[in-house]
Amino acid sequence: MSNKPKVPTNETVRCNKCGLCLSICPVYGQERQESLSPRAKVQLIKHYAEQDLESSSELRQIVSQCLMCGSCSAGCPSGVNHASLFQHMRSAMVEDFGQGWQKKALYHFLTHEQQMELAARFAHMGQRAALDKLFRDFKLGNIPIKSMPRFNDRPFRETMPAVIEPRGERCGTVLYFTGCATNYVFGDIGRDVVKVLTRMGYRVEIPAGQVCCGLPMALQGSSAMARKNILKNIDLFGRNDVMAVITDCATCGSAFGSEYVPILKELGEDTSRAETLAAKVKDISLFLWENRSELEPHFAAKDNLLKVTYHAPCHLRNHQGVLGEVERLLAILPGVEYLRTPDFDACCGGGGTFFYDHPEISKQIVDRKVSNARDSGADLWLTGCPGCQINLAGNLKDDDLLQVLHPVQIVAAVLDP
């Protein structure tokens, strides 16, 4: 091992080993192994940094078994920043053992937008050619290939003008960060974001050249790889002349709102523009709730009652502090009955690539959520994270009547023509 510690110890000394994190950690809650608890990982990191613990494949495996959901940090009475520690430790493990080819390929595409677009087009062509039927018995983690969402016919941003004027009097201008998921897979969500915002009176700008938010790489310990993406997005979105920067993805929103500043600080970069951006970013559901006075006049009377339930994404709840606002938004929608499940705010077990890296643990976590969603009697299961949407929908059975959508889609459905 190097004489220089690879991870900082200033966070580890805050942990008093109280164990409160055990009750809120989804991985520990499933496995009941102390070594997988947040407090155990903190102590392992501490000994590793102090060179009392050698690097090993077992240590790497323990560190990887974390959903990076942020529940431990949100509930820690000592204020331990677990996410920062775990990202540093994952970086150390990549340095010690290298990165698997699957993640190398994924991160390559996420940092090369043109190649990402080309890969998405080929994937769409493959789905149209029914290649997914040929591989219907294959799975990505625990999700069957046949249950994965279809790629857009064309990238969403390619189908939209750079500026969309509002219907009626303009009340402000917002920038829209579409993220990779909306751009390449969930174009219908993007269209509904634009529909709702322009109906409310907002001028929507979709800056060209935007790239992956970079958080997928950073969460796996590759912050340096994410640097170029982060700086490019800050150049495009760090403006003072707009009301807000809108995101429809909980992960992208947490990247812009809470992760860019510490990542750039760690990389020795100036953070002033990142701070400007963080102050402007708003998840679409939060923005709609805060500006409901401009939304409610456009509600249409609805005779049919839709029953909906909600899954709160970890990156929205723990990293952006948005929870009750989404439920309150759903409660005011005409023709909509909101049915809360007992675990609506529990992690779904997706965790970026966690469902692929640790499919057995992920499957057991998500199956409980699926069971509770079925029992709720809801028609629609709403969530504001594309990763969660893929994980939840991908673990439903073929005969399930539940449909998984983004909250903005149900908002768009209740607006007048």
Side-chain angles (χ1 to χ4, degrees):
M1 292 179 62
S2 166
N3 290 328
K4 183 179 180 181
K6 300 176 182 177
V7 293
T9 58
N10 57 325
E11 287 293 331
T12 64
V13 298
R14 294 184 183 181
C15 178
N16 61 18
K17 311 181 189 70
C18 68
L20 288 178
C21 55
L22 274 63
S23 64
I24 51 180
C25 173
V27 174
Y28 176 81
Q30 178 58 48
E31 297 297 290
R32 297 293 178 182
Q33 295 181 27
E34 175 62 30
S35 62
L36 298 181
S37 71
R39 69 176 179 184
K41 289 187 176 78
V42 170
Q43 297 309 310
L44 289 172
I45 292 171
K46 178 177 183 293
H47 287 288
Y48 177 86
E50 294 174 347
Q51 302 185 23
D52 296 330
L53 180 66
E54 292 289 336
S55 182
S56 67
S57 58
E58 181 181 8
L59 178 61
R60 183 190 191 191
Q61 177 74 355
I62 289 172
V63 172
S64 74
Q65 293 184 71
C66 172
L67 285 152
M68 300 298 283
C69 66
S71 294
C72 49
S73 296
C76 179
S78 300
V80 177
N81 187 341
H82 297 80
S84 176
L85 276 175
F86 298 165
Q87 287 177 34
H88 278 96
M89 192 61 178
R90 289 183 173 191
S91 179
M93 293 296 97
V94 169
E95 182 180 333
D96 289 345
F97 294 97
Q99 190 75 270
W101 69 267
Q102 299 96 331
K103 289 183 180 178
K104 282 183 178 179
L106 174 63
Y107 300 158
H108 175 82
F109 286 122
L110 292 178
T111 53
H112 294 78
E113 185 69 17
Q114 289 183 331
Q115 294 180 35
M116 178 73 168
E117 182 175 331
L118 185 62
R121 291 183 187 276
F122 275 115
H124 172 68
M125 292 170 58
Q127 289 178 325
R128 288 188 61 184
L131 292 180
D132 56 337
K133 293 183 179 178
L134 180 63
F135 296 101
R136 64 180 295 111
D137 294 329
F138 285 77
K139 292 185 176 182
L140 286 176
N142 51 58
I143 300 177
I145 291 291
K146 64 182 179 64
S147 298
M148 296 297 290
R150 295 296 196 243
F151 282 83
N152 299 333
D153 291 345
R154 294 164 61 198
F156 169 74
R157 293 195 295 270
E158 189 178 292
T159 68
M160 301 295 292
V163 178
I164 307 101
E165 294 294 342
R167 293 175 58 182
E169 185 178 352
R170 183 194 302 177
C171 60
T173 298
V174 298
L175 303 181
Y176 179 23
F177 180 77
T178 70
C180 301
T182 291
N183 195 40
Y184 295 115
V185 181
F186 297 111
D188 50 347
I189 294 176
R191 285 184 285 276
D192 281 337
V193 168
V194 172
K195 173 185 176 180
V196 173
L197 290 173
T198 54
R199 194 71 184 91
M200 294 169 66
Y202 290 97
R203 182 178 190 260
V204 179
E205 295 186 22
I206 306 176
Q210 54 182 281
V211 292
C212 167
C213 69
L215 199 57
M217 293 79 84
L219 290 178
Q220 294 296 326
S222 299
S223 295
M225 184 179 291
R227 175 183 174 276
K228 183 178 179 180
N229 283 32
I230 292 172
L231 293 177
K232 185 167 187 178
N233 285 329
I234 291 174
D235 283 340
L236 292 172
F237 290 92
R239 288 167 47 183
N240 289 314
D241 62 335
V242 295
M243 287 187 61
V245 174
I246 302 297
T247 62
D248 62 28
C249 167
T251 301
C252 295
S254 64
F256 279 45
S258 62
E259 299 298 329
Y260 276 6
V261 171
I263 289 172
L264 291 178
K265 187 176 294 184
E266 180 70 25
L267 294 173
E269 298 280 351
D270 176 71
T271 62
S272 58
R273 292 186 304 152
E275 291 164 4
T276 299
L277 173 57
K280 291 282 187 179
V281 69
K282 292 282 185 180
D283 179 81
I284 181 63
S285 295
L286 177 62
F287 186 81
L288 296 184
W289 171 251
E290 291 182 341
N291 297 278
R292 59 193 177 278
S293 62
E294 294 153 0
L295 176 66
E296 290 179 292
H298 304 292
F299 287 160
K302 296 292 179 180
D303 296 327
N304 297 329
L305 182 67
L306 276 176
K307 296 182 178 181
V308 306
T309 192
Y310 173 61
H311 162 68
C314 296
H315 276 106
L316 192 58
R317 172 171 54 93
N318 293 326
H319 297 265
Q320 298 184 62
V322 178
L323 183 61
E325 296 90 343
V326 183
E327 292 188 298
R328 291 192 286 273
L329 174 65
L330 297 176
I332 67 172
L333 300 182
V336 172
E337 179 183 1
Y338 173 56
L339 305 168
R340 177 194 273 191
T341 61
D343 60 349
F344 82 104
D345 57 351
C347 180
C348 74
T353 61
F354 187 92
F355 80 97
Y356 177 83
D357 296 328
H358 305 286
E360 298 84 5
I361 301 175
S362 177
K363 180 66 174 172
Q364 291 168 332
I365 293 173
V366 74
D367 277 352
R368 285 195 296 272
K369 291 199 68 85
V370 169
S371 178
N372 285 328
R374 288 192 191 110
D375 292 344
S376 73
D379 307 302
L380 301 176
W381 198 359
L382 308 179
T383 186
C385 172
C388 295
Q389 186 169 344
I390 291 170
N391 191 43
L392 298 177
N395 281 281
L396 294 173
K397 294 181 179 178
D398 291 341
D399 58 355
D400 273 314
L401 299 179
L402 274 173
Q403 183 181 6
V404 184
L405 297 175
H406 193 289
V408 76
Q409 294 179 278
I410 194 70
V411 175
V414 304
L415 295 183
D416 55 25

